[in-house]
Amino acid sequence: SIESKPTHIVFIKDKNNALKLFINGELSIETVFDKSLIGWGQIPAGCLLMGGTESGSHSWQGGFYLMAFYDKALSDAKVLASYQAGY
């Protein structure tokens, strides 16, 4: 369901192909994803697509408040600390 409040979302893919999705500081999904995210689908290598599809058929409904990118996977504790800190 769609809620009209900020939602803290963290997506992590580490060097061992572990993929994790956290929602509001809690682990929601954990699985193995052994494919590259570079050039995934029809998105050209080096491009980043946030909030929709390359065709524009499923556009994002809402706004982004803050976005951060890291060069390493965060620990579960750091994800929770980030949520509790409000960013």
Side-chain angles (χ1 to χ4, degrees):
S1 67
I2 297 174
E3 297 181 30
S4 182
K5 66 177 189 172
T7 303
H8 185 266
I9 298 171
V10 175
F11 172 83
I12 296 171
K13 182 175 185 278
D14 70 18
K15 64 182 176 183
N16 298 316
N17 296 319
L19 183 135
K20 294 181 179 182
L21 175 70
F22 294 82
I23 299 175
N24 293 332
E26 294 183 23
L27 182 62
S28 177
I29 297 169
E30 183 173 14
T31 190
V32 173
F33 187 82
D34 61 357
K35 296 174 180 53
S36 174
L37 295 176
I38 299 171
W40 196 26
Q42 300 301 315
I43 303 167
C47 295
L48 177 66
L49 177 67
M50 299 295 298
T53 62
E54 61 266 30
S55 69
S57 62
H58 297 88
S59 60
W60 180 257
Q61 304 274 322
F64 291 105
Y65 166 69
L66 177 67
M67 195 175 296
F69 297 91
Y70 297 90
D71 62 352
K72 61 183 176 184
L74 301 178
S75 68
D76 294 13
K78 290 218 181 230
V79 171
L80 180 59
S82 173
Y83 169 67
Q84 291 172 333
Y87 57 86

